[in-house]
Amino acid sequence: MALNPATWLPVPTATTAVSGPYATALTAQEPGASTLLPLLAGTAPTDTARKYPMRPYSVLRNSFNVFGWGVVQNPSGNSVSLGVRSQDVLSTTQAIAGLTYDQTERTGAVFGGLSYQGQYPVLDADVTYGGRDAARYIDRARGPAQPLDSLRRDQWRYTRLTAGLRLPLTLTRSKYLEALTLSSYYLHERVSDYDLPVRSRSEPGPNRPVHAVQTTLSYARQLRLSARDVAPRWGGSLLLTSRLTPFGTGLDARQWAGQGSVYLPGLAKHHALRLRAGYQWQQQRQYQFAAAISFPRGEGYVSFDRLRAASLDYYLPVAYTHWSVGRWLYVQRIRANGFLDVAQGRSVGISGERDYRNVGLDTSVLFNVLRLRTPLEAGVRVVVNTYTQELIVEPIAFSIRL
């Protein structure tokens, strides 16, 4: 219809409270209405007002307010956490404690974190105790004809203290979710049981901690998901990571990495295509930082000095089932994801390069249990290594391999 302000009718200003049989009946049903309504109107007796005295609010005494628990997936898609969350009524102090699982190295950890968000920048601190699982080639350059045949894998434990600043900027407008975050953290890490063969005596031990600074810049912009979408149909993200040991004490290591993703519409409604590429450069003569980019699915993580990786994913819904089994189980949908992962790794002083080219299919089910509002997702992943023709089958949860 035509927009003509001259035809608009003014709404009269309400001068009296709403009355009538329906409003009166509903007001009378409110718990505590007989006490609170006179108090708010200023007509309550003096003894009633004394029950609600005014006093200063202590931010410190009211910092912890546990409000829920659940599963949270890392935006990078490489880890998932199960924890208990706390947030005060002013939304200035947040805390979380729980368990986390990293899909790249297939390791778990226990963590606890505290974040003060009353002012900019945000102050974060957390403590993590968990495991690492990584491999390195220890071949030496003996000529191009010599293949890589000396892969050594090691598992070790670590205790990490992280503290620093984060500047989160929410740039969301209209139907696109948009955010830019800059962060810088100090990392103090102690390790044990790190006994990788052919390593320097100065590598990690109980008395040789890691003192590092981690700086990240992340940007993401994506179209809001509809109820039937299984992935964003438009959008992109960028993550830049720097890990350095600039203090001149403890162990020495350096790592720089960048990874970007682009989401595009698929061939049919609610389908989506993701293109992802990343590059990681590091010096790891004394220590191996965790991966900063995604590693090919179906493979154990190998720590290379130079790593190039790319992937193509196609997401599609298989069926919107809406099955229910009493109060115990409600299955919302079944989805699939076909993917191709390629990567090339190389280390300084090592003869040759290692190439990866894996294709696979994820099939997962989104469901609720015991009428909990938070949905869960689980399924199976089938991966084929096109170089070795090896078939790998593994369970997944939240698109994370277990």
Side-chain angles (χ1 to χ4, degrees):
M1 58 185 299
L3 183 64
N4 186 5
T7 62
W8 292 355
L9 300 176
V11 177
T13 304
T15 56
T16 59
V18 177
S19 61
Y22 301 107
T24 303
L26 291 174
T27 303
Q29 295 175 12
E30 293 293 332
S34 60
T35 301
L36 292 179
L37 293 179
L39 182 66
L40 296 176
T43 60
T46 305
D47 59 339
T48 303
R50 290 197 188 102
K51 297 180 182 178
Y52 306 96
M54 291 185 297
R55 60 179 181 271
Y57 176 81
S58 174
V59 176
L60 183 61
R61 286 199 305 266
N62 297 277
S63 297
F64 294 96
N65 175 39
V66 177
F67 70 91
W69 64 275
V71 178
V72 179
Q73 184 171 347
N74 187 286
S76 66
N78 292 330
S79 65
V80 63
S81 302
L82 173 64
V84 178
R85 291 182 172 274
S86 168
Q87 179 175 297
D88 66 355
V89 296
L90 298 182
S91 300
T92 58
T93 304
Q94 295 186 8
I96 185 173
L99 306 173
T100 186
Y101 180 84
D102 179 82
Q103 83 148 349
T104 302
E105 297 187 4
R106 302 189 186 186
T107 55
V110 181
F111 70 95
L114 184 66
S115 177
Y116 178 72
Q117 304 178 5
Q119 301 289 337
Y120 274 107
V122 172
L123 305 178
D124 295 328
D126 67 73
V127 177
T128 305
Y129 173 77
R132 292 285 311 278
D133 186 342
R136 291 178 64 180
Y137 284 100
I138 60 174
D139 309 69
R140 292 300 157 196
R142 295 168 293 175
Q146 298 294 331
L148 295 176
D149 58 1
S150 298
L151 181 65
R152 296 294 184 269
R153 180 167 297 277
D154 189 28
Q155 294 85 33
W156 69 96
R157 313 298 298 175
Y158 71 92
T159 302
R160 179 189 303 137
L161 169 66
T162 304
L165 308 174
R166 173 168 51 96
L167 185 63
L169 303 177
T170 301
L171 310 175
T172 296
R173 292 176 295 176
S174 185
K175 59 185 178 180
Y176 280 92
L177 303 174
E178 188 174 7
L180 174 67
T181 302
L182 176 65
S183 65
S184 182
Y185 297 101
Y186 164 73
L187 278 65
H188 178 85
E189 186 170 324
R190 290 184 176 272
V191 299
S192 60
D193 302 327
Y194 184 50
D195 53 5
L196 185 70
V198 191
R199 68 185 181 94
S200 171
R201 292 182 179 180
S202 63
E203 288 195 8
N207 300 319
R208 297 300 304 272
V210 179
H211 299 276
V213 174
Q214 174 180 294
T215 303
T216 61
L217 173 66
S218 65
Y219 172 78
R221 186 174 189 266
Q222 69 177 46
L223 183 67
R224 295 176 186 266
L225 297 178
S226 71
R228 287 178 170 260
D229 288 337
V230 295
R233 290 180 292 111
W234 290 102
S237 65
L238 175 66
L239 175 62
L240 304 178
T241 305
S242 169
R243 295 176 177 139
L244 306 173
T245 54
F247 302 103
T249 60
L251 299 167
D252 181 36
R254 300 178 182 179
Q255 183 186 76
W256 288 276
Q259 180 168 276
S261 300
V262 175
Y263 287 94
L264 301 171
L267 299 177
K269 198 172 184 179
H270 306 300
H271 292 205
L273 175 71
R274 184 185 69 177
L275 305 174
R276 182 174 63 187
Y279 178 76
Q280 178 177 290
W281 182 98
Q282 58 185 359
Q283 291 179 340
Q284 50 181 350
R285 289 174 296 180
Q286 292 185 333
Y287 191 61
Q288 303 175 70
F289 284 120
I293 66 174
S294 299
F295 203 70
R297 281 159 281 194
E299 301 286 346
Y301 178 60
V302 179
S303 185
F304 293 100
D305 293 340
R306 312 288 185 269
L307 177 63
R308 299 176 178 88
S311 64
L312 184 151
D313 291 76
Y314 191 89
Y315 303 91
L316 71 155
V318 176
Y320 299 99
T321 55
H322 300 292
W323 296 332
S324 62
V325 182
R327 301 180 178 182
W328 308 102
L329 179 65
Y330 172 62
V331 179
Q332 297 187 33
R333 71 170 180 229
I334 303 174
R335 78 164 185 171
N337 171 33
F339 60 85
L340 166 66
D341 290 344
V342 296
Q344 182 183 75
R346 181 178 182 275
S347 292
V348 176
I350 303 298
S351 58
E353 298 177 344
R354 175 69 188 274
D355 294 328
Y356 300 88
R357 186 174 63 203
N358 294 357
V359 295
L361 176 67
D362 292 348
T363 304
S364 59
V365 178
L366 187 71
F367 60 94
N368 299 73
V369 293
L370 300 176
R371 293 191 174 179
L372 295 177
R373 293 179 60 88
T374 302
L376 305 176
E377 189 172 14
V380 64
R381 170 176 293 164
V382 180
V383 185
V384 177
N385 186 318
T386 61
Y387 289 114
T388 64
Q389 302 302 315
E390 180 183 6
L391 178 65
I392 303 167
V393 180
E394 53 193 14
I396 59 173
F398 303 97
S399 300
I400 301 294
R401 67 181 181 182
L402 302 176

